[in-house]
Structures are given as structure tokens and as C-alpha cells.
Amino acid sequence: MKISYNWLKEFIDTDKTPQEISVILTGTGLEVESLEKVQPIPGGLEGLVIGYIKECVDHANSDHLHVTKVDVGAPEDLQIVCGAANVAAGQKVVVAVVGSTVYPTAGEPFAIKKSKIRGEESHGMICAEDEIGLGTSHEGIMVLPADAPVGTPAKEYFKLNDDYMYEIGLTPNRADAASHLGTARDIAAFLKIAIKKPDVSAFKVDNTGLTIPVVVENEAAAPRYSGLTISGVEVKESPKWLKERLAVIGIRSINNIVDVTNYVLHELGQPLHAFDADEITGGKVIVKNYAEGTVFKTLDEVDRKLSADDLMIGNTAEPMCIAGVFGGAKSGVKESTKNIFLESAYFNAVSVRKTSKRHGLKTDASFRFERGTDPDMTVFALKRAALLIQEVAGGVVSSEISDHYPAPVAPFNVEITYHTIDKLIGKAIGNDTIKSIITALDIKIVNETADSLSLQVPPYRVDVTRDVDVVEEILRIYGYNNIEIPTQIRASLNNSIRPEKDTVQNQLSDLLSANGFNEILANSLTKSAYSDNLDTAVKILNPLSSDLDVMRQTLLYSGLEAIAYNQNRRAADLKFYEFGKVYKLENEKYIETQRFSIFITGANTAEHWNQKVKPVTFYNIKAVVDGILQRLNISNFTVEDATCKKMSFGIQYMLNGKQLVKFGAVAAASLKKADVDKEVFYADFNFDLVLNAIRKNKIVFQEISKFPAVRRDLSMLVDQSVSFGQLKQIALRTERKLLKAVDVFDVYQGDKLPAGKKSYALSFIIQDIEKTLTDKAIDSIMQKLIYNLGKEAGAEIRK
């Protein structure tokens, strides 16, 4: 939100500098994110002066240029070549001297340099209004009144005052501060000075010749609706002061009527809307909802289909405006508009929020209505706007103020004790100080006892409804920095279970996301058709539908549904993971378990011209699983077959007799249930068991060994039933200290081998971190490995 320093000072009398006001605002909860010096027009006319043309003669080498002598108040006159048709001796003009920069209304800024134009030197430029940002006319140079003082800086002559603009990070709960008045309230409360509101005492109704009745059919969405008419207005360009005031806060001038509504919006925080009164069919304004699908063209010339929940401002024939959000193309103010109907309303915040989000429309008005405006401001803002419109566009007020307010919004009643205030603040700041701050914040004290206060909080303070909210208001005005840090701090140790689940989950999420995976989050409710055993399923007593009638017993089908959704939209190469709970009924007890699932399907790598696309395989999911376990430093597991109803083939890692993870290819029957027609590989971790397995892990750092590692290979015949996992475990048990890794690099099965046999080729990495291994030590280790592999697995070493 942008706030002007000069505008703020119209509400408060203070000599505080912009920087000091910035500190006050941040201290009271309106954080100033930036403070910058701004000028009403770009460049601020710096380097431009008022000049007097003493001489003007035709250029000898041109039929349209002129050579002038200009007095700019300097010791010597300037010779300036000018091409304007209206330039003449005796004129007072605006001169851009050499070294200055001009900022045209349209186009890029450019510097004024000494130049030679067709043989004549030129030491500056005599300016047109569009060349220096003062207007759009380029019919000729600006000719000033005869009394314009020569040598006066143009900035002073045109009375351009520098301003400062605050960019405030307005939090959602501070709707009351979404205006210059609201921001000034906090400064006034902090400085203990009075606030000055605009004077509307001059408002009067001139006649009732253009009375437009208002009918509010949806009072819940429009609790208060006020309006009046002004006839005989002249829609034109806004005066300089109005355009400059809006320009400082980044608002583009449109015309004098619309600019006034924007001015009052940012001044008082009350959104207004001006309708062309002659376009109100039937001469009546109706606040209502229209049928679902009604087409409405908004100011941006877009046809939008309305929802039946959208509150609209209409006439007897059609809608004219989306209430609190956006105006219509037909009923807005145009150059031909002569009569206007001015709206000032208090709309339901939730209704405006839903409509704004539904149509993707974010406006200054919806920003304020969504957070809550002041229901008591509508009529005051109407009077303020009417007076300004009469000032800049003429016209007369042609109706009484129509104010539909059947159920006035009551202030919030809050009871609070001094003890509560002192306790939450952490310091006794004194009852008189408390009451002075409360009063300064426009909160009324309706009753007081020795120990407590009964308060009435104005309805525009939508965030102050409880005693703790009042304490927060007191503290931010009193000043957080004025609360001393106590010399004694009491604390208690909180023992939490290690490792923290969220920390581990974040580590795994980072690992997978960095490798191209996307996290999914599915509903824990699912369809009973996915359940293999309904007797153990946790059923919903009152299901919303047959698709949401049980709690899920596995993460498999939620992942398959996500895959099906994406594949149906031509996204075939997918990598997903999900953290979630599964539920079952066992021995009449409800049990929930934390699981962690991974899915891959489609191509292993993206399509590219220099490589063939390969589909994912079982070994891709295995690599992911092994990488996760390596990251978590879990290695003491055993490997078993895991082929089951849900997997056409796969393996499982067992830890202390419990299944740590199961992974493999999803069975065709399971794919069919979720309507997936591509091969999917799936891994299912018992996340509770994972956390338990790493509970005693300790991170140990050591230097990389300076001594080389040695690789030895063995080829062996084993029975078909022997797995690589068994051989690896035997090897690691045989040599715990020096054997660093065991891998398989070849497997052979065929008719050249004895029946029931297969061949494994294993590699062994051996390293001593303290010294270089000798051949004798290496041979000793290999002999022990050969012996134990033969003894425990029946391995026959091939020569």
C-alpha cells in the first residue's frame, strides 16, 4: 500500500520528518518496506528556468527554424534555435538549459546538450508542455503570463512540491489502515495529537429533480447501501492538484469524476462507484443476485459469466456492476456523461472475496471490501466526494442521500482487566497511560471499575474483538521497544523424540525433488473397491459417496489415481512421492501407520535428439530406494522376494524381522482398478520403522583416507535360491573393518551351467584408512571370504 507524506500531513499537525514518521509507522505495526522521494511529474522540472525571448529572427539556412536570444537571469543571454511556429520576441517561456534533463509526457528522457543546428549554435531548448511532462499539447512552445519572473526555477514557478512515498506492507488484519486517514490515526495516537478529518459541512442538497430509488434485495451481502445523484457535471481532465496527488501514489488519472472516487478511496478507505445516471434503465438501482450463467461485460470489455452467488448492482433491465469488485462497460462514466449516480456501500467481506477470486479480479475496492471497511463511513464519504466533484466538475446535488441500513453494525463489546493488560505486556504501564491510548485509538470506555474496563470498539476495527486484541493495540502504540528485557528469564527444557519426523521428511523431500520427483497429497478417504479385505477396513459411518466410504489402507491407489489423471492429459513420464497415513481395523482397534511411497512410470529420461528414450525399469526404482537408505545410513537389512497381489514382481528389505520397504512393478489388476494402462513401479516404505531405525544414528566426520583402496573380483557358482543380498551379508560379516563395499557386476544363467545353478561375479573393495595394504593382507582377507562364502552359501569359486 502506498501512502503520501504530504497527504498524511493534511490529517495531522506535526513537524516530524518523513524518516521519523517512517520509524513511527513501523513501530506501530505498519511496517514501512520502502521510503522514497517522489515528484508530481517525472524529473520535477529540475534544471528548467523561466526565460524571456529578447530577439527572434528567422534562421538563415531554414524555412521553419528561428534563432532566439533568451534572458534566463544569467550574466549572458542564451542563443537557442527553436522550430516552434508560435515562438516570438517578447514571450515568457520555459527554458531547459544545457546540462538539464527533460522528461516528456511520452517517450524517454533526454539530456540537453550544446549543439549546432544548420550552422547556428544552440545553448538550450524552449519547451512545449508535452516535452517537460506538464501536459499533452505539442502545438507549440508554452507561453507564460507576462508577469512570470525571469530566472525563476520552473519547479518554483509551477509550485511543484516534492513528496515522499511510503510503501507499507499492510497485514490482512489491518484493514482499518488501508487509507491515509487510517494510517494517520496510528500516528496521531502515537504522538498524542488530534486527527483532522475533511470538512463536509458545506454539503447540501440543491434539488431533488433526479431522485433514483434504491432497492436492496440481498441485505446479507449488502448490509448498507448509500447513494445520491449529481446532475450537470462536466467530464474532463482533472485539475493539476488532483492528478499530482494521485500520481504520487501511482494512480493514473482517468477523468475528473473517476479521479475523485479514487481520491476518496485512498483518502478515507471507502470505495465509491460513479454510474452514468442516464444509463440506469428504469430509473432504479437494484442490489441483487442474478441467475447462474448470466453474461456481463465488465469495464475491461470482457464478457464474464456470473455465478448465482455474485452480488450485482443492476437496474430494472440488466446488471451494471459487480458489487465491490468491478464496474460494467455500459454504465461507467464517459466523456458524454452529464448526470451521475454516486454509490457508497458496505458489502459483506466474504461475499466480495469469493466473487473477486471467482472472476480473477483484484481491484483497490475489492482489496478493502475483502478485509472489511467502515460501515459508518459511507455517508461521510458520499458528502466528501460530492463536494469534490462539484469543485472539479461542477453540477448540483439532485437528490437526498439514499441510505439503506436496516440493521446497523454494532461496535464490539470487550471486557478487559488491568491485570490482564499488565500480564500480557509484561510490565505495568499505568492505568492512566492505558486509558489514554485506548481513547486515542477511538475505542470508547463505557464503564470503568478499579480493576477493569468495559469498552466499545468501532466496527471498522475488524481485528479487535477480544481482550488480547486490545492489549496488542495498547502495546503497539506504547511501543514494543519501551518494554525492558527482564533480568530473569524462566525457561523449561522440552524433550522431543529424535529424530524429528518433519526434519527427516524434509530431507527426503529435498532429495527426491532435486532428482525430478513431484510430491502429491491425496485424500485419506477412498473407495472400498480398492480394499483387499473389507473386514480390516476403517469404514465411514456416513460417507458422502461410494468413492469416499473407507479410510485408505495403502498409498498405492492414491498414487495410481494421480498417474491416471496426468496420463489422460498427455503427461506420461511421471515421478511422484507421497507421505501419508494408512488405516486398518485389527482386533477391534483402529491402527494408523505412517507410510512413504514412490512412483515412477514412462520414460527414464526426457526425449532428446542425441539419445534414445528408454522406459523406466525395476532397477530405476531400486536405485531410488537404495539411494534413500544410503542417505539415511540404513544398511543392516536383508532382502526377500515380495511378489504379491499388488506387485507382479518385486523385493522387500527386512529389518529385524519387519518390512522396511517393498518395491517392484505394480500388478496389472491394481493398474486396472485405477484405470492406468502403463507399467508403474512402486515403492512403499514403513516410515515409522524408518524413523525408528535411524534414531540411534550418529553423524561422524573423518578425513578421506590417504591410502589407496584395492579391488578384487570373484566369480562363483551358487544355487538358484541364493541371492546377492545373502552373499553380501556373509562378506560383510567376514571382514567388518577393511571391506568397504560389495557389488555384483555380472549374473549368468544358462544351459552351460549345471542344473539349478547360476553364476555371480562380485567385486570387493578393500581399504585400510591407516596404512597401505600389503598383498599378504589382501590375500588373507580374500581367502577368508572364499571359505565363508563356500561354507555358508555353498559358493564354488570359478577359476
Side-chain angles (χ1 to χ4, degrees):
M1 183 182 69
K2 294 179 173 62
I3 294 293
S4 157
Y5 172 73
N6 290 343
W7 203 342
L8 274 180
K9 292 185 71 175
E10 292 186 5
F11 292 95
I12 50 177
D13 285 324
T14 178
D15 56 358
K16 297 290 185 182
T17 66
Q19 291 73 20
E20 290 172 327
I21 292 294
S22 177
V23 173
I24 292 172
L25 287 173
T26 299
T28 57
L30 299 177
E31 182 182 0
V32 176
E33 296 177 341
S34 66
L35 170 63
E36 60 179 298
K37 185 178 181 179
V38 293
Q39 294 155 326
I41 63 171
L45 304 183
E46 295 288 349
L48 278 64
V49 297
I50 306 303
Y52 173 69
I53 302 177
K54 289 183 173 181
E55 298 177 11
C56 179
V57 297
D58 293 338
H59 194 296
N61 300 317
S62 172
D63 60 357
H64 70 282
L65 296 176
H66 304 85
V67 180
T68 66
K69 293 289 185 181
V70 185
D71 177 10
V72 293
E76 296 183 3
D77 296 338
L78 301 180
Q79 176 173 298
I80 299 175
V81 177
C82 179
N86 66 330
V87 65
Q91 293 174 334
K92 295 289 184 68
V93 293
V94 179
V95 178
V97 299
V98 172
S100 64
T101 301
V102 295
Y103 294 77
T105 301
E108 296 297 321
F110 59 92
I112 302 299
K113 300 177 181 178
K114 178 182 176 181
S115 61
K116 182 173 288 189
I117 302 174
R118 296 196 179 184
E120 295 287 350
E121 289 188 353
S122 183
H123 297 265
M125 183 177 78
I126 303 174
C127 305
E129 67 175 38
D130 70 324
E131 291 172 330
I132 55 177
L134 285 176
T136 58
S137 173
H138 194 68
E139 295 178 356
I141 60 171
M142 291 183 69
V143 179
L144 305 178
D147 60 355
V150 174
T152 302
K155 180 177 182 179
E156 293 181 14
Y157 179 78
F158 289 103
K159 298 179 180 177
L160 294 185
N161 296 316
D162 289 338
D163 200 351
Y164 289 83
M165 190 271 288
Y166 302 94
E167 185 76 41
I168 293 178
L170 191 68
T171 53
N173 65 316
R174 291 303 309 277
D176 64 290
S179 65
H180 285 78
L181 171 62
T183 304
R185 284 194 192 106
D186 274 9
I187 300 172
F190 181 86
L191 297 177
K192 298 180 177 61
I193 59 177
I195 195 88
K196 298 184 299 182
K197 293 177 69 174
D199 183 11
V200 296
S201 60
F203 173 83
K204 64 183 178 68
V205 177
D206 298 297
N207 60 65
T208 56
L210 188 58
T211 298
I212 297 179
V214 174
V215 177
V216 180
E217 294 186 5
N218 188 345
E219 294 178 349
R224 187 173 192 179
Y225 192 90
S226 309
L228 57 77
T229 60
I230 304 175
S231 59
V233 298
E234 181 185 0
V235 179
K236 57 184 180 180
E237 185 179 351
S238 292
K240 175 174 167 288
W241 71 266
L242 180 54
K243 290 193 294 184
E244 289 180 356
R245 181 55 57 86
L246 293 176
V248 168
I249 58 172
I251 305 297
R252 180 177 62 87
S253 175
I254 299 174
N255 60 53
N256 51 354
I257 304 296
V258 175
D259 288 355
V260 165
T261 62
N262 282 331
Y263 182 90
V264 174
L265 165 70
H266 289 277
E267 179 184 52
L268 304 178
Q270 174 60 47
L272 304 172
H273 189 72
F275 296 88
D276 187 328
D278 297 326
E279 296 287 346
I280 301 177
T281 304
K284 181 184 290 186
V285 171
I286 305 172
V287 185
K288 57 181 277 189
N289 299 79
Y290 284 78
E292 184 78 29
T294 300
V295 177
F296 176 65
K297 179 172 286 189
T298 46
L299 275 172
D300 54 0
E301 297 296 329
V302 175
D303 288 330
R304 304 180 188 274
K305 289 187 177 180
L306 301 178
S307 165
D309 294 327
D310 293 335
L311 183 69
M312 304 295 295
I313 313 301
N315 52 45
T316 58
E318 59 188 350
M320 301 186 297
C321 173
I322 303 177
V325 180
F326 213 46
K330 184 178 179 181
S331 62
V333 173
K334 303 175 283 293
E335 287 186 9
S336 59
T337 298
K338 299 300 180 185
N339 307 307
I340 64 170
F341 174 80
L342 193 60
E343 165 196 283
S344 179
Y346 171 69
F347 294 120
N348 179 277
V350 175
S351 174
V352 174
R353 166 68 174 167
K354 289 182 177 179
T355 296
S356 173
K357 188 174 182 180
R358 188 179 296 118
H359 295 287
L361 291 170
K362 294 293 182 184
T363 61
D364 285 337
S366 68
F367 175 85
R368 286 157 178 82
F369 280 127
E370 288 175 21
R371 287 158 176 77
T373 56
D374 183 1
D376 297 329
M377 182 60 72
T378 60
V379 172
F380 183 89
L382 266 184
K383 293 179 179 180
R384 172 64 167 162
L387 290 170
L388 288 173
I389 288 173
Q390 288 179 301
E391 177 184 338
V392 302
V396 293
V397 177
S398 299
S399 73
E400 297 285 351
I401 293 177
S402 173
D403 187 21
H404 185 85
Y405 197 20
V409 179
F412 305 111
N413 294 311
V414 178
E415 300 288 333
I416 192 167
T417 64
Y418 291 118
H419 173 73
T420 298
I421 296 171
D422 293 341
K423 179 182 177 182
L424 292 179
I425 289 178
K427 174 184 178 181
I429 64 175
N431 295 358
D432 291 339
T433 301
I434 291 170
K435 288 189 290 184
S436 67
I437 293 175
I438 287 174
T439 304
L441 287 169
D442 204 17
I443 299 174
K444 185 178 180 181
I445 300 174
V446 294
N447 188 40
E448 178 184 3
T449 68
D451 303 318
S452 65
L453 296 170
S454 298
L455 308 175
Q456 281 189 345
V457 181
Y460 68 79
R461 290 308 311 267
V462 294
D463 65 319
V464 183
T465 58
R466 306 167 299 168
D467 56 352
V468 291
D469 298 328
V470 174
V471 175
E472 182 183 358
E473 293 299 290
I474 296 170
L475 182 53
R476 67 182 184 83
I477 299 300
Y478 180 77
Y480 292 99
N481 293 334
N482 293 326
I483 307 300
E484 299 84 359
I485 297 176
T487 56
Q488 182 181 22
I489 299 178
R490 295 182 176 87
S492 61
L493 295 176
N494 183 20
N495 294 321
S496 59
I497 298 174
R498 299 291 187 213
E500 293 183 351
K501 181 177 77 69
D502 291 341
T503 301
V504 177
Q505 184 171 321
N506 289 336
Q507 288 176 348
L508 297 182
S509 295
D510 291 343
L511 174 65
L512 290 171
S513 296
N515 284 277
F517 283 79
N518 291 305
E519 184 173 7
I520 60 175
L521 182 63
N523 195 344
S524 293
L525 295 177
T526 189
K527 61 177 74 174
S528 54
Y530 289 154
S531 179
D532 293 329
N533 185 358
L534 281 176
D535 292 335
T536 61
V538 179
K539 301 181 178 72
I540 305 301
L541 295 178
N542 298 301
L544 297 175
S545 68
S546 59
D547 288 340
L548 300 171
D549 57 350
V550 298
M551 303 293 286
R552 62 182 177 182
Q553 293 176 279
T554 174
L555 301 186
L556 172 63
Y557 293 107
S558 58
L560 291 179
E561 286 180 342
I563 289 172
Y565 181 89
N566 282 271
Q567 287 181 345
N568 291 338
R569 287 154 181 81
R570 304 182 65 82
D573 305 329
L574 304 169
K575 294 180 178 181
F576 292 151
Y577 66 93
E578 180 181 12
F579 294 91
K581 291 182 178 180
V582 298
Y583 309 84
K584 66 177 180 179
L585 179 64
E586 190 174 277
N587 298 325
E588 298 184 352
K589 291 183 178 181
Y590 294 108
I591 300 173
E592 62 180 45
T593 309
Q594 188 77 29
R595 312 295 292 191
F596 168 42
S597 62
I598 301 171
F599 301 84
I600 56 174
T601 183
N604 185 35
T605 56
E607 185 176 7
H608 202 270
W609 66 270
N610 67 351
Q611 64 182 10
K612 292 183 179 180
V613 175
K614 296 181 180 179
V616 294
T617 67
F618 168 80
Y619 294 101
N620 294 118
I621 192 73
K622 183 179 186 299
V624 174
V625 171
D626 289 346
I628 289 172
L629 295 180
Q630 184 177 3
R631 173 67 180 81
L632 297 174
N633 195 26
I634 300 176
S635 58
N636 55 334
F637 52 81
T638 58
V639 183
E640 296 180 5
D641 180 69
T643 304
C644 61
K645 288 183 179 180
K646 292 187 179 67
M647 286 189 180
S648 56
F649 64 89
I651 60 177
Q652 59 186 359
Y653 291 164
M654 304 296 291
L655 186 65
N656 300 325
K658 297 180 180 179
Q659 186 188 81
L660 179 68
V661 58
K662 176 174 67 175
F663 58 94
V666 179
S670 296
L671 295 175
K672 186 176 180 180
K673 285 184 179 181
D675 198 25
V676 175
D677 57 3
K678 299 287 193 304
E679 189 173 34
V680 176
F681 293 93
Y682 164 65
D684 176 31
F685 285 84
N686 184 334
F687 197 55
D688 289 333
L689 186 57
V690 168
L691 294 174
N692 187 61
I694 63 176
R695 184 158 294 140
K696 294 183 180 180
N697 278 1
K698 293 183 179 180
I699 298 175
V700 178
F701 298 92
Q702 66 179 35
E703 293 184 6
I704 296 175
S705 176
K706 301 176 182 178
F707 303 100
V710 176
R711 170 173 167 163
R712 291 290 186 268
D713 298 338
L714 288 178
S715 180
M716 63 193 73
L717 282 177
V718 295
D719 293 337
Q720 290 278 7
S721 60
V722 176
S723 68
F724 164 69
Q726 291 174 285
L727 298 176
K728 181 178 181 179
Q729 291 298 322
I730 293 170
L732 293 174
R733 287 198 306 270
T734 301
E735 178 53 60
R736 299 179 184 274
K737 180 180 178 182
L738 301 182
L739 184 59
K740 303 302 181 184
V742 181
D743 287 301
V744 57
F745 62 88
D746 186 45
V747 179
Y748 175 74
Q749 299 180 35
D751 54 7
K752 295 181 180 181
L753 297 179
K757 296 288 186 177
K758 60 182 176 182
S759 173
Y760 272 131
L762 305 185
S763 65
F764 302 87
I765 304 298
I766 305 169
Q767 184 181 35
D768 191 331
I769 62 173
E770 297 177 351
K771 61 180 183 294
T772 300
L773 287 168
T774 63
D775 288 341
K776 182 178 180 181
I778 295 170
D779 290 340
S780 175
I781 293 172
M782 294 306 299
Q783 289 301 319
K784 287 192 290 182
L785 289 173
I786 292 171
Y787 177 78
N788 285 342
L789 289 170
K791 179 181 178 182
E792 297 184 34
E796 179 183 342
I797 304 302
R798 303 180 70 184
K799 304 296 184 181

